[in-house]
Amino acid sequence: FVRAEYRAGSVLLYGDMQYRHIGYSFLGFDRSLNNVQQQVGLNFFNPKAGITYELNERSNVYASVAVGNHEPNRNDFTNSSPQSRPKAEQLTDFEAGYRVSGSFFNAGINGFYMLYKNQLVLTGALDDVGEAIRTNIKDSYRAGVEVNGRLNITKQLSWSATASLSTNKVKNFNQVLFDEAYNPVNYPYTKTDIAYSPNFIGSSIISYQPFKNSEIAFISKYVSRQYLDNTSNINRSLDGYMVNDVRLNYNFSIKGIKNIGVGLLVNNVFSKAYQSDGATYPDVEGGQVTNYNYFYTQAPINFLASLNVRF
């Protein structure tokens, strides 16, 4: 890994270069006792360059471009054969943004365009032990804007929020389903949503410190609709949801112990009924596509207590 920086007054130019070699060796047999040994060697070159310009002591603008290569994980190989072995994915990421900070607030906005080659995306199906199955998508992209900010309303009360608005698309996708005789049926799609990629995610934390070393926080999160596969079929999707939590923390010390932290997290305080994940297994029956969807329903209000001790 090599990094270079050059500063000229209020301008910072920087560049990174990273070389990675990944080697895999998988041993074992499948359920039919066939030898599924695979050996894989991958070489990656990941350059990055950027510029930051300081408008003044409290704000700056920046832009960057980076190339990142990422290897398939172990499950991608064990769920495939040498003939169907997945390829490594490559990302070219363009970003630009603005940051500002003040006495009572800080905020930032970041725009991004992420162009993928052979992106590894979830298919929506699970293997026989419940692991998610992924496949390569030749051409896909993610583009959008992210904002974040924090406002100190008083010394004891603050509000922080984040939001991400994006479009996440597969340019061309061919889904292969099987009929009752296990004959393949092709369904081509153009510019569909990438599976499990909501177009909007937002969060909010309202934090209050009633006294020193204590905190009461009200946490909210919203996630928009997610599709279970790469076809943008609303019949294979998760509804958007909003969930709220409450967090209580208190830290103190006693002789011989530097810090004792006690906490209580009340998850889903309003017992919202929602599903945050799922799987789908569509097939063709009687010439029509039939959806078999499975949803992971989340628990109603539940509690998590914690104790941290530091000597």
Side-chain angles (χ1 to χ4, degrees), residues 44-304:
F44 298 136
F45 176 60
N46 300 323
K48 178 180 181 180
I51 181 172
T52 299
Y53 178 70
E54 295 180 355
L55 301 171
N56 51 56
E57 293 182 352
R58 293 185 173 182
S59 63
N60 62 61
V61 292
Y62 62 88
S64 68
V65 59
V67 175
N69 295 275
H70 193 272
E71 69 277 5
N73 61 33
R74 185 179 188 280
N75 289 336
D76 295 325
F77 287 108
T78 57
N79 283 328
S80 65
S81 67
Q83 291 73 35
S84 62
R85 178 183 296 158
K87 301 176 181 178
E89 66 177 17
Q90 183 181 83
L91 162 66
T92 304
D93 180 27
F94 303 90
E95 297 196 20
Y98 170 71
R99 292 182 290 239
V100 62
S101 62
S103 301
F104 302 101
F105 73 96
N106 60 70
I109 182 170
N110 181 73
F112 62 90
Y113 179 70
M114 307 168 72
L115 182 63
Y116 290 89
K117 180 180 179 181
N118 294 322
Q119 183 181 184
L120 284 159
V121 300
L122 297 170
T123 66
L126 305 177
D127 65 15
D128 53 0
V129 295
E131 294 285 350
I133 296 174
R134 301 198 300 177
T135 187
N136 286 118
I137 296 294
K138 183 178 180 181
D139 294 309
S140 58
Y141 66 90
R142 302 178 188 273
V145 61
E146 303 165 320
V147 295
N148 65 82
R150 178 183 173 90
L151 176 64
N152 297 318
I153 302 170
T154 69
K155 289 184 178 180
Q156 295 172 294
L157 180 64
S158 66
W159 175 50
S160 59
T162 65
S164 175
L165 179 64
S166 64
T167 179
N168 313 282
K169 295 293 185 180
V170 177
K171 292 184 179 180
N172 294 286
F173 177 65
N174 184 57
Q175 185 180 50
V176 181
L177 303 181
F178 295 89
D179 62 17
E180 296 94 330
Y182 209 69
N183 296 313
V185 183
N186 294 302
Y187 293 89
Y189 296 89
T190 301
K191 292 196 72 172
T192 54
D193 288 86
I194 299 173
Y196 304 97
S197 299
N199 291 333
F200 180 79
I201 299 175
S203 68
S204 168
I205 301 178
I206 300 173
S207 178
Y208 179 67
Q209 295 180 317
F211 46 87
K212 186 177 180 180
N213 298 326
S214 66
E215 181 197 37
I216 301 173
F218 184 73
I219 306 168
S220 303
K221 181 180 181 180
Y222 177 78
V223 179
S224 67
R225 181 178 300 278
Q226 302 174 70
Y227 294 96
L228 295 176
D229 61 13
N230 301 286
T231 65
S232 291
N233 188 329
I234 198 170
N235 295 317
R236 299 195 286 272
S237 67
L238 297 166
D239 291 333
Y241 63 88
M242 183 172 182
V243 64
N244 300 278
D245 306 326
V246 172
R247 182 178 67 209
L248 307 174
N249 285 320
Y250 179 60
N251 292 274
F252 62 97
S253 61
I254 60 177
K255 186 176 181 180
I257 301 177
K258 291 182 179 180
N259 183 77
I260 299 175
V262 293
L264 177 65
L265 182 61
V266 185
N267 296 304
N268 197 3
V269 65
F270 299 126
S271 289
K272 170 71 175 180
Y274 72 100
Q275 299 84 35
S276 63
D277 204 353
T280 185
Y281 296 87
D283 62 13
V284 180
E285 299 178 7
Q288 301 294 323
V289 176
T290 301
N291 300 304
Y292 293 92
N293 298 329
Y294 302 87
F295 302 103
Y296 300 110
T297 301
Q298 296 302 304
I301 185 171
N302 59 93
F303 306 87
L304 177 65

